[in-house]
Amino acid sequence: MLDPYIPLVLLFALALGFALFSVAIAPIVGPRRYNKAKLDAYECGIEPSPQPVMGGGRMPVAYYLTAMLFILFDIEMVFLYPFAVSADALGMFGVVEIVLFIATVGFAYVYVWRRGGLDWN
């Protein structure tokens, strides 16, 4: 009864074994060239400060805003791909739905553009 699942379980076991082996062997065979630059903290091009953000002043959010906008508009592709694959099977209903989806994302894009979210200062 469970015979069809044996290859799947073996594949997961093989993937887990490979992941554990890779993590365990990396410190042994990997290069050991440490320097000061590799040990420094890096925060998206912002110089890290020892002061907490609360009392040390305002932290620029341009990097994080750009990343969030990229993720927001990149997710559109995730939803457009299944439509592209099955466009002929969906027919006119699929075309109307995808036009509504693109219009909604387009309105969001225009809103962000008009508010200055895409301007890099």
Side-chain angles (χ1 to χ4, degrees), residues 28 75 98 114:
I28 298 168
I75 294 297
I98 208 65
R114 301 274 289 186

Side-chain angles (χ1 to χ4, degrees), residues 50-100:
Q51 303 249 345
V53 175
M54 301 288 273
R58 296 185 67 185
M59 185 170 179
V61 296
Y63 299 107
Y64 309 110
L65 180 61
T66 303
M68 291 300 290
L69 288 174
F70 173 75
I71 290 170
L72 175 70
F73 292 116
D74 191 49
I75 294 297
E76 178 184 7
M77 291 302 122
V78 172
F79 290 113
L80 286 177
Y81 184 73
F83 169 75
V85 170
S86 62
D88 56 345
L90 294 175
M92 193 55 148
F93 172 76
V95 171
V96 170
E97 290 297 319
I98 208 65
V99 166
L100 289 174

